[in-house]
Amino acid sequence: MSEPLSDVRVDWWRVINDLSQKGMSLEVISGLTTIPKATLAGYKNLNVEPKHADGERLVALWKRTMMPVLPVNVGSVRNRERSAG
């Protein structure tokens, strides 16, 4: 049985920690989200819930940063098959 949606919360410490693991300091995160550095520290260290707009910006940054780049091939499939054979 799944937990009620009201019991599910974003782990803001983890969101900010993941961004930090990717090389972003609180200053960089602040610059990209316009959330003050002290406020970000509160979200991370004091288990404070962000305002909705701040949370949306943090989640958007996390998604852009944590999602891998889509793998692509250059050129057409037909040309690759001819050059391989």
Side-chain angles (χ1 to χ4, degrees):
M1 179 174 225
S2 64
E3 294 185 32
L5 193 54
S6 62
D7 291 342
V8 177
R9 294 182 37 214
V10 173
D11 185 345
W12 296 109
W13 179 89
R14 177 80 185 267
V15 168
I16 295 170
N17 191 60
D18 283 352
L19 293 170
S20 297
Q21 294 285 327
K22 290 288 187 175
M24 292 185 179
S25 65
L26 286 183
E27 189 170 286
V28 169
I29 297 168
S30 174
L32 294 170
T33 61
T34 69
I35 301 169
K37 195 167 99 171
T39 303
L40 289 169
Y43 298 157
K44 182 177 180 186
N45 299 323
L46 302 175
N47 200 26
V48 176
E49 288 283 325
K51 295 184 291 185
H52 184 82
D54 288 354
E56 290 288 328
R57 287 194 297 271
L58 275 172
V59 167
L61 177 61
W62 184 88
K63 285 181 178 180
R64 285 193 313 266
T65 304
M66 301 309 292
M67 293 293 183
V69 176
L70 185 64
V72 296
N73 290 311
V74 178
S76 73
V77 173
R78 185 171 291 155
N79 289 339
R80 274 198 317 275
E81 289 172 354
R82 286 183 190 155
S83 64

